[in-house]
Structures are given as C-alpha cells and as structure tokens.
Amino acid sequence: MSNLVSHTLLHSNIKNHVCEMCGKAFSLRCYLKRHMITHTNLKPYKLLHSSEKTHVCEICGKAFFQRNGLKGHMFTHTKEKSYACEICGKKFSTLCHLKTHCRSHTKEKPYECDICHKSFARRCYLKRHLIIHTNVKPYKCEMCGKGFVKMSNLVSHTLLHSNEKTHICEVCGKAFFQRNGLKSHMFTHTKEKHYVCEICGKNFSKLCGLKTHYRSHTKEKPYECDQCGKTFRGKSNLMRHLRIHTNEKPYVCEMCGKAFNQGSTLRSHLRTHSEEKPYTCEVCNRAFANRSNLKSHFRTHSTDKPYTCEICSETFKRKNLLRDHALTHTGVAPYSCKICNKTFNVKCTLQQHLLTHNKEKLYTCELCGKSYTHRCRLKNHLITHQSESPYVCEVCKKGFSNKSNLIVHLRIHTQEKPYVCEHCDKSFTQISTLQSHIYTHKKDEKPHKCETCGKAFTRKDILRKHSALHLKELGRRKKSVGTTKKGNLEK
C-alpha cells in the first residue's frame, strides 16, 4: 500500500520534500535524500573493479558484469517486445525503454542540470551535457591525441586512421566506416521514404530526418553554439557550424590537397577535377556541378524573385545579390582595390575593376573593333550600333540602352532616394553620389593625390578637374616655347 501511495505522488506533481540548501523540491523523501549527496560531495557507492564477467549468455557466449546487462541482451535473441506505447503503439523489449519513449509524447524532462538548469528526457543526455561545463573529453585517440566526449565517437574516429571500410553495399560495392553509413546509403537504392510530414506531406527515408524537418514548421532550434549563441534545427548543422570556430577542415581532396569543412563542399570540388556536371536544366539543358547552382540558374527561366530588400522592396533571384544590394543602402564598401584603394560593395565588381589595371581588353566589337575589359560593357556598346534603346520608361517614354540606367531614371518620377547617409540622414538616388557625399564628413581623409604637385582631394572627380589645370598649363608652356623658338629663327 505504501508503494502505491508513493507512486501516486509522481502523478500528482506534489513536491513536499524541500532541500534546505538550494530550495529544490521533490515528490519523495528518497529523492531528496539522494539529492542531498550532491551538496556533501560524498560518493557512498563504490564500484569494485573486476575483469570477471560472470553472467554469460547461453546462446552466443557473450559475457556481462551484471545480471541486468545479460537480461537486456537476451531480448536481441528473442526479439520479444512485450511493452507497447498506448499513444502510438510502438513496442519495446524493456519497461524502462517504454518509459523513456513516453516522454517524447508528454515532453517531460525530469533530469535537470544543476549548473545551467537545462533539463533532459534521459539521464544519459544529462550526463553527456555535464561534460560541456567541465570541458573534459575522457576518450583520447592513441594515434593523434584528439579527445572525445563519447566512446562511440572515439571508435568512429579510429576507423579514419585505419582506412578500413568494413561495411560494404551489396548493390553497388560502396564501402563505409560505420554500419549507420551503410544503412543510410541503402535508401538511395530502395528510394523508400516511410516517414511523412503531417503538415506539408514531404517524405523522408529516416525518422531523424522527419524530426529535424518538423522544426522548420515549429521554428524550434534546440541546438545552440556555446561560442556565439547561434541556434540550429539539427545536430549535424551545429557540428558543421562549430568548424567555423575551430577552423577544422577534415575533408581533404586527394588530388590537390585542398581541405574543406563540409563533405558536400569536397564532393562539389572534386567535380572541378573530373569536369563532371550531373545537374542538368530541364529547360535549356545547361549542366552544373552542384544542385545549388542549378537552383539559382533555374530562376533565370522564371520571374520568381524570392529575396526582397526590407528598405526599398527591390526583389532578387539570389540571396547573395540581396546581400550585396543591402550594402548600397549603408554606403559600406568592404572590398578594396590594393592598387588604387578604390572601394566596392560587391566582390565581383572589384574583380572586374582589377582588369582595368591590367589594361587587358578581352572583349572586342566585331563591327567597329572597339575593345572592352568587361563583357557587359561590350553588350551595352553593341546596342549603340543597333540604334536601339530596349529599356523604355513607362512615364516619359525615354529609352535606355541598359536596365540599370532605366532603374536610376525612374527615381526622377518616383522621387525615391534609397541611399541614405549615416552621418546626416541626407538621401540620394545613386550610390556613387552617396559615396562622394560621405567624403564631405571626412574632410581629413583625402585619398586622391595629384601626381604632379602632390595636392590631395576628397573626391576623384575633383582630382580630375585639378589634373586638367596642369594639362592646360603644360599646353600653354609648349605654345610659349614654340613661339620663342620661331622668333629667334626669324632674327
């Protein structure tokens, strides 16, 4: 009867037994008694070290230190699962496994960390979490000295040194270090996707994939980076992110030695050596080395522009284009030319600019022979031969040779000035005007210096006007010298 009374207290959530030292409450006195040991640092239970495994399985001969270990092992032979979950019907071989599973439905997390108060559904999860606070990695690799939190991680790591891939696919012969790797790979042959998302209907081959996907609907990001606080939906995403802080690049190209922090990046890189392009556009049959490039290319065939600027509402087909565009509103130009110190807000614009120093004009007009450093400049030039202005303003019907000029022109009608100065809030229609204006706040900074007299200026256009004065003066001197020589000859 006393056991029943104690058990019912677990369901009632009544916690009458309070710790006098930290105030933590418990439903049973035995739980409080066990908790008090954490304040005394006493360890009353001693483990006797013995290499004897007295509990032996009669079927396979495997030995265990404890009877419970043998008892749990026996279920691997009988395949008996007597304990069923009342909510989802899933069956388990032991009662403790069923109890742990039930917490996935109740969201109960009874194991709490005394340091940061984070709670966990399983004791083993709490045990693993506590290592974060101590930073202890007890399992060390004998070959390279690298430490690991879990023994299973060390076992997986040692296989990398041995280069032994013992788990081989019977269909295609591909080998893997671990059984899990082979198990996941097998789905590529069967195409089986048993796990379906109830919200959007998307199918997954693994339960963990479905669980991670669910978080895209719930916006839950349970995995947090200890270094920068960034959160992630999946554990693999966090592990990948951590390599940014550690600068670890475990994936090395065997052909050129280049290292990468992601396996997918290495696979994409290997195609630069093989020139393999497995991803083909269904519309124009253009091939790409990786899926992301195909996805970006596909938008060129559609009007889809999913990335929108929050300041001016301009839309873009690619995320990197939006990122570069956002800098135009701030006036920040992080990319600088090492030759002339000119700054740019887009990396590709800097790369194009560098060609102007090489004086290489690779793009030549077949009609007039004029050469250009950039393909886009040649493209715009060709329109002048056609006498066409394909980009027409809908308000005043004025035509333009390129789209960027039309976009700038339209701001005359809309009175839109998207480029705002951070110092005085003055706004401008063009980024170049904003950049010139910013120098008025930086009167001490004069990056443009005259090579003739050494005088410095805040803006390049002012330097050009100043240089023109030197050219006029030089012309007058030459003219004066010529007149003097002519007079002397006449005498």
Side-chain angles (χ1 to χ4, degrees):
M1 186 65 185
S2 60
N3 289 343
L4 175 61
V5 172
S6 299
H7 172 76
T8 51
L9 287 170
L10 297 173
H11 295 293
S12 64
N13 282 326
I14 298 170
K15 296 180 178 181
N16 294 326
H17 305 281
V18 182
C19 174
E20 293 177 356
M21 299 188 76
C22 67
K24 198 171 181 181
F26 300 89
S27 55
L28 300 175
R29 181 175 280 133
C30 61
Y31 289 173
L32 172 60
K33 204 172 180 180
R34 193 191 305 157
H35 164 77
M36 290 302 292
I37 296 168
T38 62
H39 296 298
T40 60
N41 286 324
L42 291 175
K43 295 179 180 178
Y45 304 105
K46 293 180 180 179
L47 177 66
L48 298 173
H49 294 282
S50 171
S51 58
E52 290 182 28
K53 295 181 178 180
T54 54
H55 304 280
V56 182
C57 174
E58 293 177 356
I59 299 169
C60 66
K62 194 172 182 180
F64 299 87
F65 289 112
Q66 295 176 317
R67 183 180 284 134
N68 284 342
L70 173 60
K71 198 175 177 182
H73 165 76
M74 289 305 293
F75 288 112
T76 61
H77 297 297
T78 61
K79 307 291 182 183
E80 185 186 344
K81 293 183 178 181
S82 310
Y83 303 96
C85 174
E86 292 178 356
I87 299 168
C88 66
K90 195 172 181 181
K91 292 184 177 182
F92 299 88
S93 54
T94 61
L95 183 61
C96 63
H97 287 161
L98 173 61
K99 282 180 179 178
T100 304
H101 164 78
C102 284
R103 293 185 192 123
S104 65
H105 298 299
T106 60
K107 306 296 181 186
E108 184 190 358
K109 293 181 179 180
Y111 303 101
E112 187 179 325
C113 174
D114 291 330
I115 300 167
C116 66
H117 303 293
K118 196 173 181 180
S119 54
F120 301 88
R122 299 186 185 186
R123 184 181 276 113
C124 61
Y125 292 168
L126 171 60
K127 208 172 179 181
R128 195 186 306 155
H129 164 80
L130 287 169
I131 296 168
I132 294 169
H133 298 298
T134 60
N135 203 27
V136 175
K137 294 180 178 179
Y139 304 103
K140 301 281 182 182
C141 175
E142 293 179 357
M143 298 186 76
C144 66
K146 193 174 180 180
F148 296 90
V149 174
K150 294 189 291 182
M151 184 65 182
S152 58
N153 290 346
L154 172 61
V155 172
S156 300
H157 170 79
T158 50
L159 290 170
L160 298 175
H161 293 298
S162 65
N163 285 323
E164 287 181 27
K165 294 181 177 180
T166 53
H167 304 282
I168 300 165
C169 174
E170 294 178 355
V171 180
C172 65
K174 194 172 181 181
F176 299 87
F177 290 113
Q178 295 176 298
R179 183 180 281 127
N180 283 342
L182 173 60
K183 200 174 177 182
S184 298
H185 165 76
M186 289 306 293
F187 288 115
T188 61
H189 297 298
T190 60
K191 306 292 182 183
E192 288 179 28
K193 293 182 178 181
H194 298 299
Y195 303 99
V196 183
C197 174
E198 293 175 357
I199 299 168
C200 65
K202 196 172 181 181
N203 294 357
F204 296 87
S205 55
K206 293 188 286 185
L207 182 61
C208 60
L210 174 61
K211 282 180 179 177
T212 304
H213 166 76
Y214 263 131
R215 295 182 189 125
S216 66
H217 298 297
T218 60
K219 306 297 180 186
E220 184 190 358
K221 293 182 177 180
Y223 300 98
E224 186 177 342
C225 174
D226 294 330
Q227 306 256 2
C228 65
K230 197 173 181 181
T231 54
F232 300 89
R233 283 201 295 263
K235 191 177 181 180
S236 59
N237 294 337
L238 172 61
M239 298 300 287
R240 199 181 303 133
H241 163 80
L242 285 170
R243 294 187 190 122
I244 296 168
H245 300 296
T246 60
N247 202 28
E248 185 187 358
K249 294 181 178 180
Y251 304 98
V252 183
C253 175
E254 293 178 356
M255 299 184 78
C256 66
K258 198 171 181 180
F260 303 90
N261 57 12
Q262 292 184 43
S264 58
T265 315
L266 172 60
R267 284 193 293 273
S268 296
H269 166 77
L270 286 170
R271 294 185 192 119
T272 61
H273 296 297
S274 63
E275 295 185 355
E276 182 192 358
K277 293 181 178 181
Y279 303 100
T280 308
C281 175
E282 293 176 357
V283 181
C284 64
N285 292 324
R286 190 176 171 186
F288 298 88
N290 54 65
R291 189 182 278 110
S292 59
N293 287 350
L294 171 61
K295 203 173 179 181
S296 297
H297 162 78
F298 199 75
R299 293 196 189 107
T300 61
H301 297 297
S302 68
T303 55
D304 183 28
K305 292 183 178 181
Y307 305 102
T308 306
C309 175
E310 293 178 356
I311 299 168
C312 65
S313 300
E314 193 173 345
T315 55
F316 300 88
K317 291 185 176 183
R318 297 205 306 270
K319 195 175 184 178
N320 64 318
L321 294 176
L322 170 61
R323 193 168 53 242
D324 292 337
H325 164 79
L327 292 170
T328 63
H329 293 298
T330 61
V332 175
Y335 304 101
S336 175
C337 175
K338 291 180 181 179
I339 300 167
C340 66
N341 296 323
K342 193 173 180 180
T343 55
F344 303 88
N345 56 5
V346 184
K347 193 176 181 180
C348 63
T349 313
L350 169 62
Q351 288 169 342
Q352 290 173 354
H353 164 78
L354 288 169
L355 294 171
T356 61
H357 293 296
N358 296 333
K359 303 299 179 184
E360 288 183 31
K361 295 185 177 181
L362 305 173
Y363 306 100
T364 307
C365 176
E366 294 178 355
L367 297 168
C368 66
K370 199 170 182 180
S371 298
Y372 296 89
T373 51
H374 315 310
R375 185 185 278 112
C376 60
R377 297 273 171 85
L378 173 61
K379 203 174 177 181
N380 291 335
H381 165 77
L382 287 169
I383 296 168
T384 61
H385 291 297
Q386 298 168 0
S387 300
E388 288 180 13
S389 298
Y391 302 98
V392 181
C393 174
E394 293 179 357
V395 181
C396 64
K397 306 303 176 186
K398 190 175 180 180
F400 298 88
S401 59
N402 59 68
K403 193 177 179 179
S404 59
N405 289 346
L406 172 61
I407 290 167
V408 173
H409 165 79
L410 283 169
R411 292 181 187 136
I412 297 168
H413 301 296
T414 60
Q415 299 296 313
E416 183 190 2
K417 294 181 178 181
Y419 307 104
V420 183
C421 175
E422 290 181 346
H423 302 283
C424 65
D425 293 331
K426 198 173 181 181
S427 55
F428 303 89
T429 55
Q430 296 183 52
I431 182 66
S432 57
T433 318
L434 170 62
Q435 286 171 342
S436 298
H437 164 77
I438 284 170
Y439 284 116
T440 62
H441 297 290
K442 301 176 181 179
K443 292 180 181 178
D444 297 332
E445 291 183 30
K446 294 181 178 181
H448 306 286
K449 190 176 279 189
C450 176
E451 293 178 358
T452 307
C453 66
K455 196 173 180 180
F457 301 91
T458 55
R459 284 166 29 204
K460 199 173 183 178
D461 60 323
I462 299 172
L463 171 63
R464 277 199 296 267
K465 287 177 183 177
H466 170 79
S467 299
L469 296 173
H470 287 299
L471 290 169
K472 283 182 182 178
E473 182 65 29
L474 184 66
R476 280 197 293 269
R477 284 178 186 174
K478 284 181 178 179
K479 194 175 181 181
S480 176
V481 170
T483 306
T484 306
K485 283 182 178 179
K486 189 177 179 182
N488 289 335
L489 286 168
E490 285 175 356
K491 287 177 183 180

